[in-house]
Amino acid sequence: MGVKLEIFRMIIYLTFPVAMFWVSNQAEWFEDHVIQRKRELWPPEKLQEIEEFKERIRKRREEKLLRDARQNS
């Protein structure tokens, strides 16, 4: 039973990554499922809000770094 089990495990170990690679490289499937789901979860309005938030955080971090540099000089 040990050899048969090892052969089965090796088939699974080799088949799963190859199957995932094949599925993820199917352009139609990717467009239909992944891109559409991403658009449902993150509509363009929401993405714009996230970008604005990132920009505000970036500006605050730069201002803090400038203030700290001026105080240390």
Side-chain angles (χ1 to χ4, degrees):
M1 182 83 175
V3 174
K4 291 180 183 178
L5 180 63
E6 289 299 320
I7 292 172
F8 176 74
R9 286 175 55 195
M10 189 56 102
I11 289 171
I12 295 297
Y13 290 154
L14 293 174
T15 304
F16 182 75
V18 171
M20 290 299 105
F21 182 77
W22 181 80
V23 167
S24 65
N25 282 315
Q26 300 300 310
E28 292 175 4
W29 180 88
F30 192 83
E31 181 69 32
D32 291 344
H33 293 89
V34 177
I35 302 295
Q36 184 177 7
R37 182 70 175 152
K38 180 181 172 187
R39 289 180 184 148
E40 290 172 3
L41 293 173
W42 301 100
E45 304 84 33
K46 192 73 161 178
L47 290 175
Q48 181 64 28
E49 292 176 16
I50 291 171
E51 289 301 320
E52 290 171 1
F53 176 74
K54 286 180 184 178
E55 189 61 33
R56 284 195 312 256
I57 296 297
R58 196 174 297 125
K59 285 181 182 178
R60 286 183 192 167
R61 186 178 298 141
E62 288 176 4
E63 290 171 359
K64 184 178 183 288
L65 287 171
L66 286 173
R67 267 188 276 128
D68 291 346
R70 288 179 187 156
Q71 288 178 355
N72 291 335
S73 302

